[in-house]
Amino acid sequence: QVQLVESGGGLVQTGGSLRLSCAGTGSITRLNLMGWYRQAPGKQRELVAAFTSGGTTNYADSVKGRFTISRDNAKNTMYLQMNSLKPEDTAVYYCYVVGLIAYWGQGTQVTVSS
């Protein structure tokens, strides 16, 4: 059983930075497929950044060059560093990992003011 706890969201001005954390209570280090989605009000959930099964990373075009996904296996934690934030980045951000099933975090709100 895997549980994911997110933290790091908040209110930031345009151009600011935040780092989201996703801590796994079970072992997620052996799981390769993991990443971050976001959902803005009235919009569909979209993939923001992810690790692939091959160990590479994928990013949405809208965040390339601004967001960085990383993981610390020793801490059983995944991160999303978000720089140069824009108002359109405002959303609830969810982390996930895929084992036999997909596990999701509870979501953390990110609000970018203009």
mmCIF file of all heavy atoms in Angstrom, residues 61-106:
data_model
loop_
_atom_site.group_PDB
_atom_site.id
_atom_site.type_symbol
_atom_site.label_atom_id
_atom_site.label_comp_id
_atom_site.label_asym_id
_atom_site.label_seq_id
_atom_site.Cartn_x
_atom_site.Cartn_y
_atom_site.Cartn_z
ATOM 1 N N ASP A 61 4.504 21.219 -22.708
ATOM 2 C CA ASP A 61 5.157 22.320 -23.424
ATOM 3 C C ASP A 61 5.056 23.634 -22.641
ATOM 4 O O ASP A 61 5.976 24.456 -22.679
ATOM 5 C CB ASP A 61 4.528 22.497 -24.801
ATOM 6 C CG ASP A 61 4.909 21.382 -25.756
ATOM 7 O OD1 ASP A 61 5.905 20.672 -25.487
ATOM 8 O OD2 ASP A 61 4.199 21.207 -26.767
ATOM 9 N N SER A 62 3.955 23.798 -21.951
ATOM 10 C CA SER A 62 3.717 25.065 -21.249
ATOM 11 C C SER A 62 4.652 25.285 -20.057
ATOM 12 O O SER A 62 4.761 26.407 -19.566
ATOM 13 C CB SER A 62 2.268 25.127 -20.765
ATOM 14 O OG SER A 62 1.985 24.035 -19.896
ATOM 15 N N VAL A 63 5.337 24.217 -19.588
ATOM 16 C CA VAL A 63 6.201 24.364 -18.411
ATOM 17 C C VAL A 63 7.666 24.069 -18.719
ATOM 18 O O VAL A 63 8.516 24.223 -17.837
ATOM 19 C CB VAL A 63 5.727 23.476 -17.241
ATOM 20 C CG1 VAL A 63 4.256 23.725 -16.945
ATOM 21 C CG2 VAL A 63 5.983 22.003 -17.518
ATOM 22 N N LYS A 64 7.967 23.667 -19.939
ATOM 23 C CA LYS A 64 9.360 23.353 -20.292
ATOM 24 C C LYS A 64 10.260 24.545 -20.058
ATOM 25 O O LYS A 64 9.923 25.674 -20.426
ATOM 26 C CB LYS A 64 9.445 22.906 -21.753
ATOM 27 C CG LYS A 64 8.990 21.488 -21.987
ATOM 28 C CD LYS A 64 9.115 21.114 -23.459
ATOM 29 C CE LYS A 64 8.637 19.692 -23.694
ATOM 30 N NZ LYS A 64 8.690 19.326 -25.129
ATOM 31 N N GLY A 65 11.398 24.293 -19.432
ATOM 32 C CA GLY A 65 12.345 25.350 -19.128
ATOM 33 C C GLY A 65 12.046 26.088 -17.841
ATOM 34 O O GLY A 65 12.869 26.878 -17.373
ATOM 35 N N ARG A 66 10.879 25.843 -17.257
ATOM 36 C CA ARG A 66 10.506 26.522 -16.005
ATOM 37 C C ARG A 66 10.350 25.553 -14.840
ATOM 38 O O ARG A 66 10.658 25.903 -13.695
ATOM 39 C CB ARG A 66 9.195 27.290 -16.184
ATOM 40 C CG ARG A 66 9.242 28.354 -17.270
ATOM 41 C CD ARG A 66 7.981 29.212 -17.268
ATOM 42 N NE ARG A 66 6.766 28.449 -17.546
ATOM 43 C CZ ARG A 66 5.726 28.378 -16.727
ATOM 44 N NH1 ARG A 66 5.735 29.009 -15.564
ATOM 45 N NH2 ARG A 66 4.657 27.668 -17.072
ATOM 46 N N PHE A 67 9.853 24.351 -15.116
ATOM 47 C CA PHE A 67 9.609 23.353 -14.073
ATOM 48 C C PHE A 67 10.630 22.230 -14.194
ATOM 49 O O PHE A 67 11.046 21.871 -15.294
ATOM 50 C CB PHE A 67 8.209 22.754 -14.213
ATOM 51 C CG PHE A 67 7.080 23.682 -13.875
ATOM 52 C CD1 PHE A 67 7.264 25.040 -13.707
ATOM 53 C CD2 PHE A 67 5.789 23.180 -13.743
ATOM 54 C CE1 PHE A 67 6.213 25.881 -13.403
ATOM 55 C CE2 PHE A 67 4.728 23.993 -13.439
ATOM 56 C CZ PHE A 67 4.934 25.355 -13.265
ATOM 57 N N THR A 68 10.991 21.658 -13.041
ATOM 58 C CA THR A 68 11.905 20.531 -13.020
ATOM 59 C C THR A 68 11.390 19.470 -12.050
ATOM 60 O O THR A 68 11.128 19.785 -10.881
ATOM 61 C CB THR A 68 13.314 20.956 -12.582
ATOM 62 O OG1 THR A 68 13.797 21.973 -13.464
ATOM 63 C CG2 THR A 68 14.270 19.767 -12.625
ATOM 64 N N ILE A 69 11.263 18.259 -12.540
ATOM 65 C CA ILE A 69 10.860 17.151 -11.696
ATOM 66 C C ILE A 69 12.112 16.417 -11.218
ATOM 67 O O ILE A 69 13.081 16.273 -11.973
ATOM 68 C CB ILE A 69 9.912 16.190 -12.450
ATOM 69 C CG1 ILE A 69 9.319 15.150 -11.514
ATOM 70 C CG2 ILE A 69 10.608 15.531 -13.638
ATOM 71 C CD1 ILE A 69 8.229 14.302 -12.163
ATOM 72 N N SER A 70 12.088 15.984 -9.972
ATOM 73 C CA SER A 70 13.234 15.249 -9.429
ATOM 74 C C SER A 70 12.734 14.298 -8.345
ATOM 75 O O SER A 70 11.576 14.358 -7.934
ATOM 76 C CB SER A 70 14.286 16.203 -8.866
ATOM 77 O OG SER A 70 13.762 16.953 -7.780
ATOM 78 N N ARG A 71 13.617 13.429 -7.899
ATOM 79 C CA ARG A 71 13.249 12.477 -6.858
ATOM 80 C C ARG A 71 14.454 12.203 -5.979
ATOM 81 O O ARG A 71 15.592 12.261 -6.448
ATOM 82 C CB ARG A 71 12.723 11.181 -7.455
ATOM 83 C CG ARG A 71 13.696 10.485 -8.373
ATOM 84 C CD ARG A 71 13.042 9.392 -9.202
ATOM 85 N NE ARG A 71 12.714 8.220 -8.398
ATOM 86 C CZ ARG A 71 12.120 7.142 -8.902
ATOM 87 N NH1 ARG A 71 11.780 7.094 -10.175
ATOM 88 N NH2 ARG A 71 11.851 6.116 -8.117
ATOM 89 N N ASP A 72 14.187 11.926 -4.718
ATOM 90 C CA ASP A 72 15.216 11.551 -3.762
ATOM 91 C C ASP A 72 14.803 10.197 -3.196
ATOM 92 O O ASP A 72 13.928 10.120 -2.331
ATOM 93 C CB ASP A 72 15.319 12.609 -2.656
ATOM 94 C CG ASP A 72 16.466 12.346 -1.696
ATOM 95 O OD1 ASP A 72 16.847 11.170 -1.524
ATOM 96 O OD2 ASP A 72 16.959 13.309 -1.102
ATOM 97 N N ASN A 73 15.411 9.143 -3.707
ATOM 98 C CA ASN A 73 15.014 7.797 -3.296
ATOM 99 C C ASN A 73 15.282 7.560 -1.809
ATOM 100 O O ASN A 73 14.538 6.846 -1.147
ATOM 101 C CB ASN A 73 15.738 6.758 -4.138
ATOM 102 C CG ASN A 73 15.224 6.725 -5.559
ATOM 103 O OD1 ASN A 73 14.116 7.185 -5.849
ATOM 104 N ND2 ASN A 73 16.035 6.203 -6.470
ATOM 105 N N ALA A 74 16.336 8.167 -1.292
ATOM 106 C CA ALA A 74 16.653 7.975 0.124
ATOM 107 C C ALA A 74 15.558 8.543 1.020
ATOM 108 O O ALA A 74 15.326 8.044 2.127
ATOM 109 C CB ALA A 74 17.994 8.628 0.443
ATOM 110 N N LYS A 75 14.892 9.584 0.547
ATOM 111 C CA LYS A 75 13.819 10.210 1.322
ATOM 112 C C LYS A 75 12.438 9.760 0.853
ATOM 113 O O LYS A 75 11.432 10.216 1.389
ATOM 114 C CB LYS A 75 13.919 11.734 1.221
ATOM 115 C CG LYS A 75 15.176 12.308 1.856
ATOM 116 C CD LYS A 75 15.181 13.824 1.783
ATOM 117 C CE LYS A 75 16.414 14.395 2.472
ATOM 118 N NZ LYS A 75 16.446 15.887 2.405
ATOM 119 N N ASN A 76 12.419 8.882 -0.153
ATOM 120 C CA ASN A 76 11.135 8.390 -0.671
ATOM 121 C C ASN A 76 10.235 9.545 -1.114
ATOM 122 O O ASN A 76 9.021 9.548 -0.879
ATOM 123 C CB ASN A 76 10.431 7.576 0.402
ATOM 124 C CG ASN A 76 9.810 6.309 -0.139
ATOM 125 O OD1 ASN A 76 10.286 5.749 -1.124
ATOM 126 N ND2 ASN A 76 8.750 5.861 0.487
ATOM 127 N N THR A 77 10.843 10.539 -1.746
ATOM 128 C CA THR A 77 10.131 11.778 -2.050
ATOM 129 C C THR A 77 10.416 12.229 -3.472
ATOM 130 O O THR A 77 11.541 12.101 -3.969
ATOM 131 C CB THR A 77 10.542 12.888 -1.059
ATOM 132 O OG1 THR A 77 10.234 12.470 0.275
ATOM 133 C CG2 THR A 77 9.791 14.184 -1.349
ATOM 134 N N MET A 78 9.380 12.760 -4.100
ATOM 135 C CA MET A 78 9.480 13.354 -5.436
ATOM 136 C C MET A 78 9.210 14.848 -5.306
ATOM 137 O O MET A 78 8.442 15.268 -4.429
ATOM 138 C CB MET A 78 8.455 12.697 -6.365
ATOM 139 C CG MET A 78 8.414 13.254 -7.754
ATOM 140 S SD MET A 78 7.293 12.317 -8.831
ATOM 141 C CE MET A 78 5.717 12.480 -7.986
ATOM 142 N N TYR A 79 9.829 15.627 -6.187
ATOM 143 C CA TYR A 79 9.703 17.077 -6.118
ATOM 144 C C TYR A 79 9.288 17.659 -7.473
ATOM 145 O O TYR A 79 9.523 17.059 -8.515
ATOM 146 C CB TYR A 79 11.033 17.716 -5.707
ATOM 147 C CG TYR A 79 11.578 17.218 -4.397
ATOM 148 C CD1 TYR A 79 12.535 16.210 -4.369
ATOM 149 C CD2 TYR A 79 11.136 17.750 -3.193
ATOM 150 C CE1 TYR A 79 13.045 15.743 -3.165
ATOM 151 C CE2 TYR A 79 11.633 17.293 -1.982
ATOM 152 C CZ TYR A 79 12.584 16.290 -1.982
ATOM 153 O OH TYR A 79 13.080 15.824 -0.779
ATOM 154 N N LEU A 80 8.710 18.835 -7.405
ATOM 155 C CA LEU A 80 8.470 19.626 -8.608
ATOM 156 C C LEU A 80 8.911 21.051 -8.294
ATOM 157 O O LEU A 80 8.238 21.749 -7.525
ATOM 158 C CB LEU A 80 6.997 19.603 -9.020
ATOM 159 C CG LEU A 80 6.683 20.333 -10.321
ATOM 160 C CD1 LEU A 80 7.328 19.597 -11.513
ATOM 161 C CD2 LEU A 80 5.178 20.448 -10.546
ATOM 162 N N GLN A 81 10.035 21.435 -8.865
ATOM 163 C CA GLN A 81 10.524 22.798 -8.712
ATOM 164 C C GLN A 81 9.885 23.647 -9.790
ATOM 165 O O GLN A 81 10.015 23.348 -10.979
ATOM 166 C CB GLN A 81 12.052 22.846 -8.830
ATOM 167 C CG GLN A 81 12.641 24.238 -8.752
ATOM 168 C CD GLN A 81 12.470 24.864 -7.376
ATOM 169 O OE1 GLN A 81 12.687 24.213 -6.361
ATOM 170 N NE2 GLN A 81 12.078 26.138 -7.355
ATOM 171 N N MET A 82 9.204 24.701 -9.394
ATOM 172 C CA MET A 82 8.480 25.556 -10.328
ATOM 173 C C MET A 82 9.049 26.964 -10.245
ATOM 174 O O MET A 82 8.965 27.606 -9.192
ATOM 175 C CB MET A 82 6.990 25.558 -9.992
ATOM 176 C CG MET A 82 6.374 24.161 -9.935
ATOM 177 S SD MET A 82 4.590 24.184 -9.699
ATOM 178 C CE MET A 82 4.473 24.916 -8.075
ATOM 179 N N ASN A 83 9.627 27.417 -11.339
ATOM 180 C CA ASN A 83 10.210 28.758 -11.412
ATOM 181 C C ASN A 83 9.461 29.596 -12.444
ATOM 182 O O ASN A 83 8.722 29.063 -13.271
ATOM 183 C CB ASN A 83 11.681 28.676 -11.801
ATOM 184 C CG ASN A 83 12.516 27.917 -10.786
ATOM 185 O OD1 ASN A 83 12.243 27.943 -9.586
ATOM 186 N ND2 ASN A 83 13.546 27.228 -11.264
ATOM 187 N N SER A 84 9.660 30.882 -12.378
ATOM 188 C CA SER A 84 9.037 31.820 -13.334
ATOM 189 C C SER A 84 7.542 31.553 -13.458
ATOM 190 O O SER A 84 7.006 31.457 -14.562
ATOM 191 C CB SER A 84 9.713 31.704 -14.714
ATOM 192 O OG SER A 84 11.090 31.959 -14.613
ATOM 193 N N LEU A 85 6.897 31.449 -12.333
ATOM 194 C CA LEU A 85 5.483 31.090 -12.321
ATOM 195 C C LEU A 85 4.620 32.169 -12.971
ATOM 196 O O LEU A 85 4.916 33.372 -12.872
ATOM 197 C CB LEU A 85 5.024 30.817 -10.895
ATOM 198 C CG LEU A 85 5.467 29.454 -10.356
ATOM 199 C CD1 LEU A 85 5.391 29.409 -8.839
ATOM 200 C CD2 LEU A 85 4.614 28.346 -10.966
ATOM 201 N N LYS A 86 3.563 31.702 -13.621
ATOM 202 C CA LYS A 86 2.624 32.575 -14.325
ATOM 203 C C LYS A 86 1.222 32.355 -13.756
ATOM 204 O O LYS A 86 0.939 31.283 -13.210
ATOM 205 C CB LYS A 86 2.621 32.229 -15.814
ATOM 206 C CG LYS A 86 3.977 32.282 -16.482
ATOM 207 C CD LYS A 86 3.880 31.804 -17.925
ATOM 208 C CE LYS A 86 5.236 31.822 -18.611
ATOM 209 N NZ LYS A 86 5.147 31.346 -20.020
ATOM 210 N N PRO A 87 0.331 33.336 -13.931
ATOM 211 C CA PRO A 87 -1.048 33.144 -13.445
ATOM 212 C C PRO A 87 -1.707 31.888 -14.019
ATOM 213 O O PRO A 87 -2.503 31.244 -13.320
ATOM 214 C CB PRO A 87 -1.752 34.417 -13.920
ATOM 215 C CG PRO A 87 -0.669 35.441 -13.929
ATOM 216 C CD PRO A 87 0.556 34.706 -14.395
ATOM 217 N N GLU A 88 -1.368 31.519 -15.239
ATOM 218 C CA GLU A 88 -1.973 30.317 -15.842
ATOM 219 C C GLU A 88 -1.464 29.022 -15.227
ATOM 220 O O GLU A 88 -1.966 27.944 -15.558
ATOM 221 C CB GLU A 88 -1.758 30.307 -17.363
ATOM 222 C CG GLU A 88 -0.329 30.517 -17.805
ATOM 223 C CD GLU A 88 -0.045 31.975 -18.163
ATOM 224 O OE1 GLU A 88 -0.509 32.877 -17.434
ATOM 225 O OE2 GLU A 88 0.657 32.181 -19.177
ATOM 226 N N ASP A 89 -0.479 29.098 -14.352
ATOM 227 C CA ASP A 89 -0.040 27.918 -13.607
ATOM 228 C C ASP A 89 -0.926 27.655 -12.391
ATOM 229 O O ASP A 89 -0.762 26.624 -11.724
ATOM 230 C CB ASP A 89 1.414 28.081 -13.141
ATOM 231 C CG ASP A 89 2.395 28.147 -14.289
ATOM 232 O OD1 ASP A 89 2.248 27.372 -15.257
ATOM 233 O OD2 ASP A 89 3.325 28.985 -14.222
ATOM 234 N N THR A 90 -1.830 28.565 -12.107
ATOM 235 C CA THR A 90 -2.733 28.392 -10.968
ATOM 236 C C THR A 90 -3.578 27.141 -11.155
ATOM 237 O O THR A 90 -4.257 26.984 -12.177
ATOM 238 C CB THR A 90 -3.640 29.615 -10.815
ATOM 239 O OG1 THR A 90 -2.831 30.753 -10.473
ATOM 240 C CG2 THR A 90 -4.674 29.385 -9.718
ATOM 241 N N ALA A 91 -3.526 26.247 -10.171
ATOM 242 C CA ALA A 91 -4.234 24.969 -10.259
ATOM 243 C C ALA A 91 -4.014 24.195 -8.972
ATOM 244 O O ALA A 91 -3.184 24.575 -8.133
ATOM 245 C CB ALA A 91 -3.732 24.153 -11.442
ATOM 246 N N VAL A 92 -4.738 23.094 -8.854
ATOM 247 C CA VAL A 92 -4.424 22.104 -7.827
ATOM 248 C C VAL A 92 -3.479 21.093 -8.462
ATOM 249 O O VAL A 92 -3.757 20.565 -9.533
ATOM 250 C CB VAL A 92 -5.687 21.405 -7.301
ATOM 251 C CG1 VAL A 92 -5.309 20.355 -6.265
ATOM 252 C CG2 VAL A 92 -6.653 22.419 -6.698
ATOM 253 N N TYR A 93 -2.364 20.855 -7.795
ATOM 254 C CA TYR A 93 -1.344 19.953 -8.309
ATOM 255 C C TYR A 93 -1.411 18.621 -7.555
ATOM 256 O O TYR A 93 -1.456 18.592 -6.323
ATOM 257 C CB TYR A 93 0.037 20.586 -8.160
ATOM 258 C CG TYR A 93 0.296 21.673 -9.165
ATOM 259 C CD1 TYR A 93 -0.376 22.895 -9.089
ATOM 260 C CD2 TYR A 93 1.196 21.488 -10.210
ATOM 261 C CE1 TYR A 93 -0.151 23.890 -10.028
ATOM 262 C CE2 TYR A 93 1.430 22.479 -11.147
ATOM 263 C CZ TYR A 93 0.746 23.681 -11.047
ATOM 264 O OH TYR A 93 0.971 24.666 -11.984
ATOM 265 N N TYR A 94 -1.397 17.544 -8.334
ATOM 266 C CA TYR A 94 -1.495 16.196 -7.787
ATOM 267 C C TYR A 94 -0.265 15.384 -8.195
ATOM 268 O O TYR A 94 0.109 15.383 -9.369
ATOM 269 C CB TYR A 94 -2.731 15.478 -8.315
ATOM 270 C CG TYR A 94 -4.041 16.139 -8.000
ATOM 271 C CD1 TYR A 94 -4.585 17.095 -8.854
ATOM 272 C CD2 TYR A 94 -4.760 15.787 -6.863
ATOM 273 C CE1 TYR A 94 -5.798 17.689 -8.576
ATOM 274 C CE2 TYR A 94 -5.987 16.380 -6.580
ATOM 275 C CZ TYR A 94 -6.495 17.328 -7.441
ATOM 276 O OH TYR A 94 -7.701 17.907 -7.164
ATOM 277 N N CYS A 95 0.305 14.667 -7.257
ATOM 278 C CA CYS A 95 1.359 13.732 -7.620
ATOM 279 C C CYS A 95 0.757 12.329 -7.727
ATOM 280 O O CYS A 95 -0.304 12.043 -7.170
ATOM 281 C CB CYS A 95 2.496 13.741 -6.601
ATOM 282 S SG CYS A 95 2.080 13.190 -4.943
ATOM 283 N N TYR A 96 1.429 11.478 -8.473
ATOM 284 C CA TYR A 96 0.968 10.104 -8.631
ATOM 285 C C TYR A 96 2.173 9.193 -8.803
ATOM 286 O O TYR A 96 3.237 9.624 -9.239
ATOM 287 C CB TYR A 96 0.043 9.980 -9.843
ATOM 288 C CG TYR A 96 0.770 10.062 -11.172
ATOM 289 C CD1 TYR A 96 1.234 8.919 -11.816
ATOM 290 C CD2 TYR A 96 1.016 11.300 -11.757
ATOM 291 C CE1 TYR A 96 1.929 9.018 -13.011
ATOM 292 C CE2 TYR A 96 1.707 11.397 -12.954
ATOM 293 C CZ TYR A 96 2.156 10.250 -13.575
ATOM 294 O OH TYR A 96 2.853 10.336 -14.762
ATOM 295 N N VAL A 97 1.971 7.933 -8.452
ATOM 296 C CA VAL A 97 2.932 6.879 -8.777
ATOM 297 C C VAL A 97 2.133 5.684 -9.270
ATOM 298 O O VAL A 97 0.982 5.493 -8.875
ATOM 299 C CB VAL A 97 3.814 6.470 -7.574
ATOM 300 C CG1 VAL A 97 4.646 7.636 -7.118
ATOM 301 C CG2 VAL A 97 2.974 5.926 -6.441
ATOM 302 N N VAL A 98 2.747 4.892 -10.126
ATOM 303 C CA VAL A 98 2.063 3.743 -10.712
ATOM 304 C C VAL A 98 2.773 2.476 -10.316
ATOM 305 O O VAL A 98 3.952 2.282 -10.625
ATOM 306 C CB VAL A 98 1.999 3.855 -12.249
ATOM 307 C CG1 VAL A 98 1.301 2.632 -12.824
ATOM 308 C CG2 VAL A 98 1.274 5.121 -12.657
ATOM 309 N N GLY A 99 2.059 1.623 -9.580
ATOM 310 C CA GLY A 99 2.531 0.285 -9.293
ATOM 311 C C GLY A 99 1.591 -0.677 -10.005
ATOM 312 O O GLY A 99 1.385 -0.576 -11.207
ATOM 313 N N LEU A 100 0.972 -1.581 -9.253
ATOM 314 C CA LEU A 100 -0.089 -2.407 -9.837
ATOM 315 C C LEU A 100 -1.305 -1.547 -10.167
ATOM 316 O O LEU A 100 -2.066 -1.845 -11.084
ATOM 317 C CB LEU A 100 -0.467 -3.533 -8.879
ATOM 318 C CG LEU A 100 0.615 -4.597 -8.642
ATOM 319 C CD1 LEU A 100 0.143 -5.611 -7.624
ATOM 320 C CD2 LEU A 100 0.994 -5.278 -9.954
ATOM 321 N N ILE A 101 -1.488 -0.504 -9.378
ATOM 322 C CA ILE A 101 -2.517 0.500 -9.631
ATOM 323 C C ILE A 101 -1.871 1.868 -9.510
ATOM 324 O O ILE A 101 -0.727 1.977 -9.099
ATOM 325 C CB ILE A 101 -3.705 0.376 -8.644
ATOM 326 C CG1 ILE A 101 -3.235 0.615 -7.210
ATOM 327 C CG2 ILE A 101 -4.370 -0.993 -8.768
ATOM 328 C CD1 ILE A 101 -4.373 0.674 -6.203
ATOM 329 N N ALA A 102 -2.627 2.885 -9.840
ATOM 330 C CA ALA A 102 -2.125 4.253 -9.672
ATOM 331 C C ALA A 102 -2.508 4.779 -8.298
ATOM 332 O O ALA A 102 -3.625 4.563 -7.829
ATOM 333 C CB ALA A 102 -2.704 5.152 -10.758
ATOM 334 N N TYR A 103 -1.562 5.418 -7.647
ATOM 335 C CA TYR A 103 -1.795 6.063 -6.365
ATOM 336 C C TYR A 103 -1.688 7.565 -6.557
ATOM 337 O O TYR A 103 -0.812 8.047 -7.283
ATOM 338 C CB TYR A 103 -0.760 5.595 -5.340
ATOM 339 C CG TYR A 103 -0.750 4.108 -5.098
ATOM 340 C CD1 TYR A 103 0.080 3.262 -5.839
ATOM 341 C CD2 TYR A 103 -1.573 3.537 -4.140
ATOM 342 C CE1 TYR A 103 0.097 1.896 -5.616
ATOM 343 C CE2 TYR A 103 -1.562 2.168 -3.907
ATOM 344 C CZ TYR A 103 -0.727 1.361 -4.646
ATOM 345 O OH TYR A 103 -0.717 0.007 -4.429
ATOM 346 N N TRP A 104 -2.564 8.297 -5.854
ATOM 347 C CA TRP A 104 -2.609 9.749 -6.006
ATOM 348 C C TRP A 104 -2.465 10.446 -4.661
ATOM 349 O O TRP A 104 -2.936 9.931 -3.641
ATOM 350 C CB TRP A 104 -3.945 10.169 -6.623
ATOM 351 C CG TRP A 104 -4.097 9.736 -8.042
ATOM 352 C CD1 TRP A 104 -4.589 8.548 -8.500
ATOM 353 C CD2 TRP A 104 -3.742 10.496 -9.198
ATOM 354 N NE1 TRP A 104 -4.565 8.518 -9.872
ATOM 355 C CE2 TRP A 104 -4.048 9.689 -10.330
ATOM 356 C CE3 TRP A 104 -3.205 11.764 -9.396
ATOM 357 C CZ2 TRP A 104 -3.838 10.130 -11.633
ATOM 358 C CZ3 TRP A 104 -2.996 12.210 -10.698
ATOM 359 C CH2 TRP A 104 -3.310 11.396 -11.791
ATOM 360 N N GLY A 105 -1.846 11.610 -4.714
ATOM 361 C CA GLY A 105 -1.830 12.469 -3.545
ATOM 362 C C GLY A 105 -3.148 13.207 -3.417
ATOM 363 O O GLY A 105 -4.005 13.140 -4.300
ATOM 364 N N GLN A 106 -3.292 13.963 -2.331
ATOM 365 C CA GLN A 106 -4.553 14.645 -2.056
ATOM 366 C C GLN A 106 -4.674 15.965 -2.808
ATOM 367 O O GLN A 106 -5.763 16.543 -2.872
ATOM 368 C CB GLN A 106 -4.680 14.902 -0.534
ATOM 369 C CG GLN A 106 -3.922 16.118 -0.015
ATOM 370 C CD GLN A 106 -2.424 15.892 0.117
ATOM 371 O OE1 GLN A 106 -1.890 14.821 -0.196
ATOM 372 N NE2 GLN A 106 -1.728 16.927 0.601
#
